[in-house]
Structure formats: structure tokens, C-alpha cells
Amino acid sequence: MWVRSTMAYRTSFVIMLVASFATTFLDFAAIMIMFSHVDELGGFSLPEVAFLYGTSGVAFGLADLLLGQFERIGRRVRDGTMDVLLMRPVPVLSQVAADRFALRRLGRVSQGALVLGWSLLRLELDWSVGKALLTVSMVVCGGVIFGCVFVLGGAFQFWAQDATEVQSAFTYGGTTMLQYPPTVFGKDLVRGVTFVVPLAFVNWLPALRVLGRDDPLGLPGWLDFAAPAVALLCCAVTGLAWRAGLRAYRSTGS
């Protein structure tokens, strides 16, 4: 329904799509401005940073497109409109994902894909089947991990009711952080996004393997291939948290 209503005004949709593309491109424009003054950032060249940017951007864009609506759950909890979703014979998670589905978010996905494609053309790597699969895994598993963060943030709002900014710190803040090399951040922060909120498995760890870079934490090499297992674990934890959040929901009675 939301897609049909969006496409009813095609010119407006195209304008919003271009605006989304241009807004997200400003992030990469800032990186290009940095490289106009330096040759490397944390020991990484511009194509290598673009590789991190592209993989993070596409993974996050897909999660934002499909599950970005979970940041609005707090408002539904506060005004009691969550009751409407609970009364329908359709899983609440599916209803929230489809609620006000914003097709314009394809602009972020396409922008990240373009940067990723440009980096793949500029990187001088000895490609193999394993590296190609790792790159695909970064996009797919990264999207799943980011999606779990969106849903976990939505589940948390059943208790907090107004925690959109906290959720954004892990979603939008997380993808911004992953656009830069892990070597520019403190080791404690890198440990946090590896073992607490496993965003490092979105692209940092597999990208280090693809780019032939050393891990700043000196972790075992097999962790570079652990993104699929981490994504499955995140799905299991997210499912439990979502069910607990729904059970904790209390209607406003209005």
C-alpha cells in the first residue's frame, strides 16, 4: 500500500530518491576532502576506505530500507496505536517492517553500491573466490546484523518508550564509524564493537582479510569468516528480545 501511494506521485518520489542519494553522498564527499590533504587515513588509502564505506553503506541501506521503521515504535507505544497492530492476525514484526515503507531509502543503497563499485575498480588486489565470497558476505551478513540492531532498538523502546536517539547512536552512528578504518579508533572502542555490539563483523574484520591488513587487536584469523555465525546469533538474540518486549507492552487504555 505504501509503495503504491509513493508511486502515485512519481516526480515527488524521484526528487526524494535523489535527495536521499545526495544527502548520503555528502559523507563520502567529506572523506574525499580529507584525502585532498592526506595520502592515507589510519594507514588506509582512499580506495580502501571507499571499500569500507561501500560495504557498510550497502549493508546498512538494506537494513534501513526493510527495518528502519522500528525506530518509530516508541511513538506507537506512547500514543497506544500499538494496540492496532496487536489485534491483526499478522505477525507484529512484519507489520512494523511494512508500516510507512519508505522506498526513497533506495537512494542510500544505490549510493553505497556506486562507491563500492568504484573501490573495487581501484583496488589492486589479488582476487580469489574466497575474497569474493567474503565481500558478498559483508553485504548480506552486515545487513542482517544492522537489521537486528534496528529490531533490538525497537524492542528496547517497549520499556524506554522514547529512545530513538539511543537507537540511532547504534544504527546511524554505527554505520558512520564502520566507514573509517579501525586503526583510527582506540582499541577499547574496537573491542566494544567486536565483543559487545558485534558491528565489527559487518565489514571491519572480513575487510581486513580481503585487503590483506593486520587486525589491530591481533584476533584469531578465523574470526574474519565468522560473520554468518554472528548474524545467526544476533537473529536468535533479537527474536528473544522482541518477544520479551511485546510481552512487556502495556496499552494506554485509550
Side-chain angles (χ1 to χ4, degrees):
M1 180 182 72
W2 293 106
V3 174
R4 185 182 302 172
S5 64
T6 298
M7 298 308 294
Y9 303 95
R10 295 178 186 274
T11 302
S12 176
F13 167 70
V14 171
I15 292 174
M16 288 190 294
L17 191 67
V18 172
S20 175
F21 182 96
T23 302
T24 52
F25 181 75
L26 292 177
D27 294 335
F28 190 65
I31 293 174
M32 295 178 69
I33 292 173
M34 289 184 198
F35 274 92
S36 67
H37 298 283
V38 298
D39 295 328
E40 294 183 340
L41 186 63
F44 285 62
S45 64
L46 177 58
E48 290 174 322
V49 174
F51 183 70
L52 294 174
Y53 180 97
T55 51
S56 171
V58 175
F60 178 79
L62 292 174
D64 187 35
L65 175 68
L66 299 175
L67 300 169
Q69 295 79 3
F70 278 79
E71 64 184 8
R72 299 196 188 95
I73 284 186
R75 186 170 57 189
R76 282 192 172 276
V77 172
R78 292 194 301 276
D79 61 19
T81 54
M82 195 73 195
D83 294 0
V84 177
L85 304 184
L86 291 171
M87 288 188 292
R88 293 172 180 165
V90 178
V92 178
L93 192 145
S94 300
Q95 293 186 64
V96 176
D99 185 34
R100 297 183 183 278
F101 184 79
L103 201 59
R104 68 178 183 280
R105 289 171 176 165
L106 280 173
R108 179 186 290 273
V109 179
S110 58
Q111 190 265 339
L114 283 176
V115 174
L116 177 59
W118 178 82
S119 70
L120 293 177
L121 293 175
R122 294 292 301 274
L123 285 171
E124 297 178 356
L125 298 177
D126 184 15
W127 285 99
S128 63
V129 175
K131 288 183 178 180
L133 290 177
L134 264 181
T135 303
V136 174
S137 169
M138 276 186 271
V139 175
V140 176
C141 297
V144 173
I145 293 172
F146 269 128
C148 289
V149 176
F150 270 112
V151 179
L152 280 172
F156 176 66
Q157 294 192 54
F158 283 113
W159 291 282
Q161 299 188 359
D162 188 10
T164 304
E165 289 75 14
V166 176
Q167 182 176 357
S168 297
F170 289 96
T171 52
Y172 294 96
T175 188
T176 300
M177 182 177 63
L178 296 179
Q179 293 168 0
Y180 294 89
T183 49
V184 303
F185 299 101
K187 288 188 177 181
D188 288 338
L189 178 61
V190 178
R191 291 190 186 96
V193 296
T194 302
F195 300 111
V196 181
V197 182
L199 294 177
F201 292 91
V202 171
N203 68 347
W204 271 358
L205 292 175
L208 292 174
R209 169 73 63 168
V210 172
L211 298 175
R213 293 283 183 168
D214 294 330
D215 184 347
L217 296 181
L219 298 172
W222 60 267
L223 280 176
D224 299 342
F225 305 95
V230 172
L232 288 175
L233 179 62
C234 287
C235 288
V237 173
T238 300
L240 294 174
W242 177 251
R243 291 173 63 88
L246 281 179
R247 284 196 292 268
Y249 172 68
R250 296 291 180 271
S251 173
T252 59
S254 59

